[in-house]
Amino acid sequence: MVYCRFQSGEVSGWGIVEQHEVWELAGDYFSTTEKTGRSFPMNDVRFLAPCDPSKIIAVGLNYKDHIAEFGRTEIPTEPVIFFKAPTAVIGLDDPIVIPKGVGRVDFEAELGVVIKKKARYIPEREAIDYVLGFTCINDVTARELQKKDGQWSRSKSYDTFCPMGPWISEGLPHDQLRVESYLNQKAAQTGHTSQMIFSVPKLIAFISSVMTLLPGDVVFII
């Protein structure tokens, strides 16, 4: 199933994408998948960010090739987590606003994992049961500020620095996905989730041992 938030004229809501139509739901898809019976052609809707997270938890240095890019050789013994402000979230085709004076700004395509239900102390073997689906994240970073600060919250949390969507796809093979970005229709980044150091279930188990995850929270993996 493919979930989305959308706007069409005066109408905005939660929906399911089926056969090039967006079917409106009676509520949010964290609580119901009942359709209202009303649908809209995909080409006639504006896709909003597919969820409104209470928090965005990022997992850094979780790809072997990414560690090499940073000139490091040591492999983390446990996940490195940090936060990106939820107010950074924007939807498909919304403009990214680069503040004055931040210096170089980079983009990175990342896999986003959307939490389906409240999760705390979840064993790894049950972790996928707590996942609604997967989405695309553009992890925008003020790179010079990241280096200056020595930690990553400010450089990654400016408003509009987390484009997300256009939708959430259920049941994808999370360990068999290509993660790619394009700039002006040319490939700028290519990765694969098979290169992850810690798997999605292991990450959810680890993070839920630290904090409570709520419906709509997003975990994304760098």
Side-chain angles (χ1 to χ4, degrees):
M1 195 169 289
V2 176
Y3 305 98
C4 71
R5 290 175 64 226
F6 70 95
Q7 183 173 6
S8 179
E10 298 291 321
V11 177
S12 62
W14 306 75
I16 294 174
V17 180
E18 292 179 345
Q19 297 181 341
H20 305 289
E21 294 278 320
V22 174
W23 291 87
E24 184 183 42
L25 296 180
D28 69 80
Y29 32 69
F30 300 101
S31 58
T32 182
T33 55
E34 180 185 354
K35 298 176 182 176
T36 65
R38 184 163 58 169
S39 69
F40 306 85
M42 278 181 59
N43 291 338
D44 293 345
V45 307
R46 173 184 170 225
F47 287 104
L48 309 175
C51 59
D52 185 17
S54 74
K55 52 189 170 294
I56 303 169
I57 305 100
V59 182
L61 303 176
N62 197 53
Y63 287 94
K64 297 170 186 174
D65 51 357
H66 202 179
I67 289 176
E69 287 177 14
F70 275 82
R72 303 187 182 191
T73 56
E74 70 275 13
I75 301 296
T77 57
E78 62 180 9
V80 177
I81 63 174
F82 62 95
F83 290 101
K84 197 173 180 91
T87 47
V89 171
I90 56 175
L92 180 69
D93 293 332
D94 288 341
I96 297 169
V97 179
I98 300 176
K100 292 182 179 179
V102 301
R104 173 183 162 189
V105 174
D106 290 346
F107 61 91
E108 293 178 283
E110 311 293 2
L111 175 69
V113 183
V114 181
I115 300 300
K116 176 168 61 176
K117 53 188 178 181
K118 187 175 180 180
R120 182 71 163 133
Y121 297 115
I122 304 305
E124 184 179 341
R125 66 181 180 277
E126 298 176 13
I128 291 300
D129 295 337
Y130 289 78
V131 173
L132 177 69
F134 303 90
T135 192
C136 300
I137 300 283
N138 183 355
D139 176 29
V140 182
T141 305
R143 194 66 72 192
E144 293 174 27
L145 293 181
Q146 182 184 29
K147 293 177 181 178
K148 176 182 177 181
D149 291 351
Q151 54 84 29
W152 304 340
S153 296
R154 177 168 69 137
S155 65
K156 291 177 176 285
S157 289
Y158 283 98
D159 289 357
T160 74
F161 271 26
C162 190
M164 183 188 305
W167 45 61
I168 301 166
S169 295
E170 186 180 48
L172 295 180
H174 53 82
D175 57 348
Q176 302 174 41
L177 299 174
R178 291 197 311 273
V179 180
E180 299 175 336
S181 66
Y182 290 80
L183 179 63
N184 299 327
Q185 300 182 335
K186 293 183 179 180
Q189 170 197 354
T190 302
H192 202 280
T193 57
S194 63
Q195 291 293 306
M196 284 186 184
I197 296 166
F198 302 104
S199 67
V200 169
K202 189 176 289 292
L203 291 172
I204 293 171
F206 177 81
I207 295 168
S208 71
S209 74
V210 177
M211 67 191 79
T212 300
L213 295 171
L214 299 176
D217 282 352
V218 174
V219 175
F220 78 90
I221 301 134
I222 298 175

PDB file of all heavy atoms in Angstrom, residues 94-119:
ATOM      1  N   ASP A  94       8.340  21.706  -2.570  1.00  0.00           N
ATOM      2  CA  ASP A  94       8.402  22.917  -1.750  1.00  0.00           C
ATOM      3  C   ASP A  94       9.834  23.458  -1.813  1.00  0.00           C
ATOM      4  O   ASP A  94      10.796  22.689  -1.834  1.00  0.00           O
ATOM      5  CB  ASP A  94       8.033  22.621  -0.296  1.00  0.00           C
ATOM      6  CG  ASP A  94       6.559  22.332  -0.116  1.00  0.00           C
ATOM      7  OD1 ASP A  94       5.769  22.705  -0.998  1.00  0.00           O
ATOM      8  OD2 ASP A  94       6.189  21.734   0.914  1.00  0.00           O
ATOM      9  N   PRO A  95      10.000  24.775  -1.816  1.00  0.00           N
ATOM     10  CA  PRO A  95      11.356  25.332  -1.954  1.00  0.00           C
ATOM     11  C   PRO A  95      12.197  25.167  -0.693  1.00  0.00           C
ATOM     12  O   PRO A  95      11.692  25.302   0.424  1.00  0.00           O
ATOM     13  CB  PRO A  95      11.099  26.814  -2.250  1.00  0.00           C
ATOM     14  CG  PRO A  95       9.753  27.091  -1.659  1.00  0.00           C
ATOM     15  CD  PRO A  95       8.968  25.817  -1.812  1.00  0.00           C
ATOM     16  N   ILE A  96      13.470  24.859  -0.872  1.00  0.00           N
ATOM     17  CA  ILE A  96      14.440  24.854   0.214  1.00  0.00           C
ATOM     18  C   ILE A  96      14.984  26.273   0.335  1.00  0.00           C
ATOM     19  O   ILE A  96      15.465  26.844  -0.637  1.00  0.00           O
ATOM     20  CB  ILE A  96      15.580  23.863  -0.074  1.00  0.00           C
ATOM     21  CG1 ILE A  96      15.040  22.432  -0.169  1.00  0.00           C
ATOM     22  CG2 ILE A  96      16.664  23.957   1.000  1.00  0.00           C
ATOM     23  CD1 ILE A  96      16.040  21.436  -0.716  1.00  0.00           C
ATOM     24  N   VAL A  97      14.892  26.816   1.537  1.00  0.00           N
ATOM     25  CA  VAL A  97      15.345  28.183   1.781  1.00  0.00           C
ATOM     26  C   VAL A  97      16.707  28.136   2.473  1.00  0.00           C
ATOM     27  O   VAL A  97      16.840  27.595   3.569  1.00  0.00           O
ATOM     28  CB  VAL A  97      14.340  28.955   2.655  1.00  0.00           C
ATOM     29  CG1 VAL A  97      14.842  30.371   2.924  1.00  0.00           C
ATOM     30  CG2 VAL A  97      12.969  28.983   1.991  1.00  0.00           C
ATOM     31  N   ILE A  98      17.714  28.677   1.813  1.00  0.00           N
ATOM     32  CA  ILE A  98      19.069  28.673   2.367  1.00  0.00           C
ATOM     33  C   ILE A  98      19.314  30.007   3.068  1.00  0.00           C
ATOM     34  O   ILE A  98      19.327  31.060   2.429  1.00  0.00           O
ATOM     35  CB  ILE A  98      20.109  28.437   1.258  1.00  0.00           C
ATOM     36  CG1 ILE A  98      19.847  27.081   0.583  1.00  0.00           C
ATOM     37  CG2 ILE A  98      21.524  28.495   1.827  1.00  0.00           C
ATOM     38  CD1 ILE A  98      20.759  26.781  -0.588  1.00  0.00           C
ATOM     39  N   PRO A  99      19.496  29.990   4.389  1.00  0.00           N
ATOM     40  CA  PRO A  99      19.708  31.246   5.122  1.00  0.00           C
ATOM     41  C   PRO A  99      21.020  31.917   4.715  1.00  0.00           C
ATOM     42  O   PRO A  99      21.975  31.255   4.297  1.00  0.00           O
ATOM     43  CB  PRO A  99      19.759  30.792   6.590  1.00  0.00           C
ATOM     44  CG  PRO A  99      19.122  29.437   6.609  1.00  0.00           C
ATOM     45  CD  PRO A  99      19.438  28.825   5.285  1.00  0.00           C
ATOM     46  N   LYS A 100      21.048  33.215   4.880  1.00  0.00           N
ATOM     47  CA  LYS A 100      22.267  33.955   4.575  1.00  0.00           C
ATOM     48  C   LYS A 100      23.381  33.567   5.545  1.00  0.00           C
ATOM     49  O   LYS A 100      23.146  33.343   6.729  1.00  0.00           O
ATOM     50  CB  LYS A 100      21.996  35.456   4.683  1.00  0.00           C
ATOM     51  CG  LYS A 100      21.063  36.006   3.616  1.00  0.00           C
ATOM     52  CD  LYS A 100      20.884  37.509   3.781  1.00  0.00           C
ATOM     53  CE  LYS A 100      19.959  38.073   2.704  1.00  0.00           C
ATOM     54  NZ  LYS A 100      19.754  39.536   2.873  1.00  0.00           N
ATOM     55  N   GLY A 101      24.576  33.464   4.996  1.00  0.00           N
ATOM     56  CA  GLY A 101      25.743  33.289   5.835  1.00  0.00           C
ATOM     57  C   GLY A 101      26.049  31.887   6.299  1.00  0.00           C
ATOM     58  O   GLY A 101      26.981  31.690   7.088  1.00  0.00           O
ATOM     59  N   VAL A 102      25.281  30.888   5.826  1.00  0.00           N
ATOM     60  CA  VAL A 102      25.540  29.522   6.300  1.00  0.00           C
ATOM     61  C   VAL A 102      26.661  28.841   5.523  1.00  0.00           C
ATOM     62  O   VAL A 102      27.133  27.771   5.902  1.00  0.00           O
ATOM     63  CB  VAL A 102      24.266  28.642   6.270  1.00  0.00           C
ATOM     64  CG1 VAL A 102      23.179  29.249   7.128  1.00  0.00           C
ATOM     65  CG2 VAL A 102      23.772  28.428   4.836  1.00  0.00           C
ATOM     66  N   GLY A 103      27.069  29.413   4.411  1.00  0.00           N
ATOM     67  CA  GLY A 103      28.126  28.793   3.629  1.00  0.00           C
ATOM     68  C   GLY A 103      27.610  27.660   2.760  1.00  0.00           C
ATOM     69  O   GLY A 103      26.460  27.659   2.327  1.00  0.00           O
ATOM     70  N   ARG A 104      28.469  26.698   2.546  1.00  0.00           N
ATOM     71  CA  ARG A 104      28.139  25.572   1.654  1.00  0.00           C
ATOM     72  C   ARG A 104      26.970  24.758   2.201  1.00  0.00           C
ATOM     73  O   ARG A 104      26.920  24.431   3.391  1.00  0.00           O
ATOM     74  CB  ARG A 104      29.371  24.687   1.508  1.00  0.00           C
ATOM     75  CG  ARG A 104      29.126  23.390   0.758  1.00  0.00           C
ATOM     76  CD  ARG A 104      30.383  22.544   0.718  1.00  0.00           C
ATOM     77  NE  ARG A 104      30.124  21.159   0.397  1.00  0.00           N
ATOM     78  CZ  ARG A 104      31.033  20.192   0.472  1.00  0.00           C
ATOM     79  NH1 ARG A 104      32.264  20.477   0.844  1.00  0.00           N
ATOM     80  NH2 ARG A 104      30.721  18.953   0.159  1.00  0.00           N
ATOM     81  N   VAL A 105      26.036  24.440   1.314  1.00  0.00           N
ATOM     82  CA  VAL A 105      24.881  23.608   1.671  1.00  0.00           C
ATOM     83  C   VAL A 105      24.852  22.395   0.749  1.00  0.00           C
ATOM     84  O   VAL A 105      24.907  22.534  -0.479  1.00  0.00           O
ATOM     85  CB  VAL A 105      23.571  24.403   1.563  1.00  0.00           C
ATOM     86  CG1 VAL A 105      22.367  23.492   1.799  1.00  0.00           C
ATOM     87  CG2 VAL A 105      23.564  25.551   2.568  1.00  0.00           C
ATOM     88  N   ASP A 106      24.775  21.201   1.352  1.00  0.00           N
ATOM     89  CA  ASP A 106      24.765  19.950   0.596  1.00  0.00           C
ATOM     90  C   ASP A 106      23.412  19.267   0.698  1.00  0.00           C
ATOM     91  O   ASP A 106      22.649  19.505   1.633  1.00  0.00           O
ATOM     92  CB  ASP A 106      25.832  18.988   1.133  1.00  0.00           C
ATOM     93  CG  ASP A 106      27.244  19.449   0.817  1.00  0.00           C
ATOM     94  OD1 ASP A 106      27.402  20.348  -0.021  1.00  0.00           O
ATOM     95  OD2 ASP A 106      28.193  18.901   1.418  1.00  0.00           O
ATOM     96  N   PHE A 107      23.144  18.394  -0.260  1.00  0.00           N
ATOM     97  CA  PHE A 107      21.950  17.543  -0.214  1.00  0.00           C
ATOM     98  C   PHE A 107      22.399  16.088  -0.214  1.00  0.00           C
ATOM     99  O   PHE A 107      23.447  15.739  -0.776  1.00  0.00           O
ATOM    100  CB  PHE A 107      21.035  17.813  -1.416  1.00  0.00           C
ATOM    101  CG  PHE A 107      21.685  17.544  -2.747  1.00  0.00           C
ATOM    102  CD1 PHE A 107      21.594  16.307  -3.348  1.00  0.00           C
ATOM    103  CD2 PHE A 107      22.407  18.547  -3.397  1.00  0.00           C
ATOM    104  CE1 PHE A 107      22.198  16.056  -4.568  1.00  0.00           C
ATOM    105  CE2 PHE A 107      23.009  18.311  -4.621  1.00  0.00           C
ATOM    106  CZ  PHE A 107      22.911  17.067  -5.207  1.00  0.00           C
ATOM    107  N   GLU A 108      21.607  15.238   0.426  1.00  0.00           N
ATOM    108  CA  GLU A 108      21.882  13.798   0.448  1.00  0.00           C
ATOM    109  C   GLU A 108      20.565  13.038   0.459  1.00  0.00           C
ATOM    110  O   GLU A 108      19.702  13.309   1.303  1.00  0.00           O
ATOM    111  CB  GLU A 108      22.684  13.406   1.690  1.00  0.00           C
ATOM    112  CG  GLU A 108      24.101  13.944   1.744  1.00  0.00           C
ATOM    113  CD  GLU A 108      24.793  13.545   3.042  1.00  0.00           C
ATOM    114  OE1 GLU A 108      24.502  14.158   4.076  1.00  0.00           O
ATOM    115  OE2 GLU A 108      25.610  12.610   3.014  1.00  0.00           O
ATOM    116  N   ALA A 109      20.416  12.098  -0.439  1.00  0.00           N
ATOM    117  CA  ALA A 109      19.247  11.230  -0.434  1.00  0.00           C
ATOM    118  C   ALA A 109      19.407  10.175   0.654  1.00  0.00           C
ATOM    119  O   ALA A 109      20.478   9.583   0.804  1.00  0.00           O
ATOM    120  CB  ALA A 109      19.085  10.547  -1.797  1.00  0.00           C
ATOM    121  N   GLU A 110      18.333   9.966   1.419  1.00  0.00           N
ATOM    122  CA  GLU A 110      18.377   8.992   2.512  1.00  0.00           C
ATOM    123  C   GLU A 110      17.081   8.198   2.555  1.00  0.00           C
ATOM    124  O   GLU A 110      16.026   8.669   2.119  1.00  0.00           O
ATOM    125  CB  GLU A 110      18.574   9.695   3.868  1.00  0.00           C
ATOM    126  CG  GLU A 110      19.700  10.712   3.923  1.00  0.00           C
ATOM    127  CD  GLU A 110      21.100  10.126   3.786  1.00  0.00           C
ATOM    128  OE1 GLU A 110      21.237   8.906   3.614  1.00  0.00           O
ATOM    129  OE2 GLU A 110      22.067  10.912   3.842  1.00  0.00           O
ATOM    130  N   LEU A 111      17.166   7.001   3.109  1.00  0.00           N
ATOM    131  CA  LEU A 111      15.983   6.178   3.355  1.00  0.00           C
ATOM    132  C   LEU A 111      15.332   6.618   4.660  1.00  0.00           C
ATOM    133  O   LEU A 111      15.990   6.684   5.701  1.00  0.00           O
ATOM    134  CB  LEU A 111      16.379   4.702   3.453  1.00  0.00           C
ATOM    135  CG  LEU A 111      15.255   3.733   3.837  1.00  0.00           C
ATOM    136  CD1 LEU A 111      14.235   3.635   2.703  1.00  0.00           C
ATOM    137  CD2 LEU A 111      15.819   2.353   4.170  1.00  0.00           C
ATOM    138  N   GLY A 112      14.036   6.939   4.592  1.00  0.00           N
ATOM    139  CA  GLY A 112      13.276   7.295   5.785  1.00  0.00           C
ATOM    140  C   GLY A 112      12.365   6.151   6.197  1.00  0.00           C
ATOM    141  O   GLY A 112      11.689   5.547   5.358  1.00  0.00           O
ATOM    142  N   VAL A 113      12.356   5.849   7.481  1.00  0.00           N
ATOM    143  CA  VAL A 113      11.517   4.792   8.049  1.00  0.00           C
ATOM    144  C   VAL A 113      10.447   5.465   8.898  1.00  0.00           C
ATOM    145  O   VAL A 113      10.767   6.191   9.843  1.00  0.00           O
ATOM    146  CB  VAL A 113      12.352   3.829   8.926  1.00  0.00           C
ATOM    147  CG1 VAL A 113      11.486   2.692   9.444  1.00  0.00           C
ATOM    148  CG2 VAL A 113      13.554   3.297   8.148  1.00  0.00           C
ATOM    149  N   VAL A 114       9.172   5.229   8.568  1.00  0.00           N
ATOM    150  CA  VAL A 114       8.067   5.890   9.266  1.00  0.00           C
ATOM    151  C   VAL A 114       7.449   4.910  10.273  1.00  0.00           C
ATOM    152  O   VAL A 114       7.047   3.797   9.909  1.00  0.00           O
ATOM    153  CB  VAL A 114       7.001   6.383   8.278  1.00  0.00           C
ATOM    154  CG1 VAL A 114       5.874   7.101   9.021  1.00  0.00           C
ATOM    155  CG2 VAL A 114       7.632   7.309   7.236  1.00  0.00           C
ATOM    156  N   ILE A 115       7.381   5.353  11.512  1.00  0.00           N
ATOM    157  CA  ILE A 115       6.869   4.507  12.597  1.00  0.00           C
ATOM    158  C   ILE A 115       5.341   4.475  12.559  1.00  0.00           C
ATOM    159  O   ILE A 115       4.686   5.512  12.381  1.00  0.00           O
ATOM    160  CB  ILE A 115       7.376   5.022  13.958  1.00  0.00           C
ATOM    161  CG1 ILE A 115       8.909   4.996  13.994  1.00  0.00           C
ATOM    162  CG2 ILE A 115       6.788   4.199  15.104  1.00  0.00           C
ATOM    163  CD1 ILE A 115       9.529   3.626  13.786  1.00  0.00           C
ATOM    164  N   LYS A 116       4.790   3.281  12.742  1.00  0.00           N
ATOM    165  CA  LYS A 116       3.344   3.080  12.633  1.00  0.00           C
ATOM    166  C   LYS A 116       2.614   3.222  13.963  1.00  0.00           C
ATOM    167  O   LYS A 116       1.489   3.743  14.012  1.00  0.00           O
ATOM    168  CB  LYS A 116       3.075   1.683  12.049  1.00  0.00           C
ATOM    169  CG  LYS A 116       1.611   1.297  11.972  1.00  0.00           C
ATOM    170  CD  LYS A 116       1.404   0.053  11.135  1.00  0.00           C
ATOM    171  CE  LYS A 116       2.126  -1.167  11.698  1.00  0.00           C
ATOM    172  NZ  LYS A 116       1.827  -2.387  10.900  1.00  0.00           N
ATOM    173  N   LYS A 117       3.215   2.742  15.050  1.00  0.00           N
ATOM    174  CA  LYS A 117       2.540   2.748  16.340  1.00  0.00           C
ATOM    175  C   LYS A 117       3.562   2.939  17.458  1.00  0.00           C
ATOM    176  O   LYS A 117       4.769   2.787  17.243  1.00  0.00           O
ATOM    177  CB  LYS A 117       1.770   1.437  16.551  1.00  0.00           C
ATOM    178  CG  LYS A 117       2.600   0.177  16.372  1.00  0.00           C
ATOM    179  CD  LYS A 117       1.730  -1.072  16.401  1.00  0.00           C
ATOM    180  CE  LYS A 117       2.561  -2.339  16.159  1.00  0.00           C
ATOM    181  NZ  LYS A 117       1.715  -3.563  16.172  1.00  0.00           N
ATOM    182  N   LYS A 118       3.069   3.299  18.612  1.00  0.00           N
ATOM    183  CA  LYS A 118       3.932   3.603  19.750  1.00  0.00           C
ATOM    184  C   LYS A 118       4.879   2.441  20.020  1.00  0.00           C
ATOM    185  O   LYS A 118       4.453   1.280  20.074  1.00  0.00           O
ATOM    186  CB  LYS A 118       3.077   3.885  20.990  1.00  0.00           C
ATOM    187  CG  LYS A 118       3.857   4.371  22.194  1.00  0.00           C
ATOM    188  CD  LYS A 118       2.912   4.730  23.335  1.00  0.00           C
ATOM    189  CE  LYS A 118       3.678   5.216  24.555  1.00  0.00           C
ATOM    190  NZ  LYS A 118       2.748   5.576  25.665  1.00  0.00           N
ATOM    191  N   ALA A 119       6.150   2.770  20.176  1.00  0.00           N
ATOM    192  CA  ALA A 119       7.166   1.724  20.308  1.00  0.00           C
ATOM    193  C   ALA A 119       8.128   2.058  21.438  1.00  0.00           C
ATOM    194  O   ALA A 119       8.697   3.152  21.480  1.00  0.00           O
ATOM    195  CB  ALA A 119       7.941   1.577  18.998  1.00  0.00           C
TER     196      ALA A 119
END
